[in-house]
Amino acid sequence: MNKLYMLFIPLIILAGCINLREPYPVINYYELKQEPTLLKNLPVLEQTVMIRRVFVNETFDTPHFLISTPPNNVERLFYHRWISDVSTLATDFVATRINQSGLLKHGVLKSGSIALPEYIVEPHLIEMTTYNDDSPQTREYYVQIEFKVDYLKRLNDNKLELFFSSNYKQKFVRRKYETKFIAEAYSRVFSMAVDNIISDLSNIIK
């Protein structure tokens, strides 16, 4: 009996050294994707245009998905995140969509370029809401964004003048309410909002 007991002691010690942790949950990363545009027959502008980095309100400037629920609750989803910070995502999205539209002959200049642009576009993302209401009476799911965009023109004395400003608000009701479809909904509202920015650019730049 003692020999059998002595045989099990190393096994007990070995089992205590093994850390059988559960595997970590997978973190899902998402990106914004360009949706098809309805803009057709845009002019091709010769002027040089710079897109400043999108300024994002600090309340939602986080890579984590934020879910708003009634009455005034906000939930941060740890395992569902944007692939980059919101400012980088939004800036790249705006610049890419303008470039793909063919509106600007020379494409957009990004912040940090040594070139002096004739026009500067300053986007400010002032709303980015994911709303989930699971109550049986309403059951409402949507995403909503709003850009405030300032347009500046370089004068002959090299000073910048604010000559136009506008807000662009878009809402998309999600038929598929699962979390994995949130990024798809945001891709739609970002595409629609930036198309409106492109449309204004085509009319105000002379």
Side-chain angles (χ1 to χ4, degrees):
M1 186 67 179
N2 288 338
K3 290 183 178 180
L4 185 61
Y5 179 74
M6 294 299 294
L7 180 64
F8 276 104
I9 287 179
L11 295 177
I12 295 171
I13 294 174
L14 182 61
C17 295
I18 299 175
N19 189 359
L20 299 176
R21 293 182 179 177
E22 295 183 1
Y24 288 107
V26 175
I27 297 177
N28 298 288
Y29 291 95
Y30 303 86
E31 61 182 348
L32 294 173
K33 296 183 178 179
Q34 301 287 341
E35 293 283 321
T37 181
L38 297 177
L39 295 175
K40 304 294 182 183
N41 302 318
L42 291 171
V44 179
L45 304 177
E46 298 276 350
Q47 292 86 343
T48 54
V49 179
M50 174 180 285
I51 303 295
R52 289 261 173 88
R53 184 175 178 84
V54 175
F55 181 81
V56 179
N57 279 10
E58 292 185 4
T59 52
F60 51 84
D61 189 12
T62 171
H64 298 85
F65 279 17
L66 300 177
I67 308 296
S68 297
T69 58
N72 294 299
N73 302 315
V74 177
E75 179 184 2
R76 184 193 299 262
L77 303 186
F78 186 82
Y79 299 110
H80 295 273
R81 307 181 189 180
W82 295 111
I83 198 168
S84 183
D85 62 278
V86 176
S87 179
T88 299
L89 280 177
T91 303
D92 289 346
F93 190 93
V94 172
T96 298
R97 196 162 186 85
I98 294 175
N99 283 334
Q100 290 180 346
S101 74
L103 176 68
L104 302 175
K105 181 177 180 180
H106 307 291
V108 296
L109 301 176
K110 299 287 285 291
S111 296
S113 171
I114 62 172
L116 286 179
E118 298 169 77
Y119 294 87
I120 294 177
V121 179
E122 293 186 336
H124 181 176
L125 188 59
I126 61 177
E127 182 183 1
M128 188 174 179
T129 302
T130 306
Y131 184 81
N132 284 0
D133 184 355
D134 294 318
S135 58
Q137 297 81 6
T138 53
R139 287 197 178 279
E140 188 175 19
Y141 309 93
Y142 66 81
V143 300
Q144 183 166 282
I145 66 167
E146 183 174 1
F147 279 104
K148 178 185 181 299
V149 182
D150 295 328
Y151 300 85
L152 298 92
K153 181 178 182 180
R154 191 175 301 278
L155 303 177
N156 292 332
D157 59 3
N158 217 26
K159 292 182 179 179
L160 294 173
E161 175 188 61
L162 175 65
F163 73 100
F164 187 70
S165 184
S166 184
N167 283 42
Y168 304 88
K169 191 170 187 176
Q170 294 291 336
K171 177 180 178 179
F172 179 75
V173 177
R174 292 154 43 217
R175 304 302 179 190
K176 301 176 181 178
Y177 61 86
E178 294 93 337
T179 302
K180 64 182 179 181
F181 295 111
I182 289 175
E184 178 184 303
Y186 272 118
S187 294
R188 293 199 179 192
V189 290
F190 268 86
S191 294
M192 291 186 288
V194 179
D195 276 355
N196 288 330
I197 293 173
I198 293 170
S199 179
D200 276 351
L201 271 175
S202 68
N203 291 314
I204 63 177
I205 291 183
K206 306 296 182 183

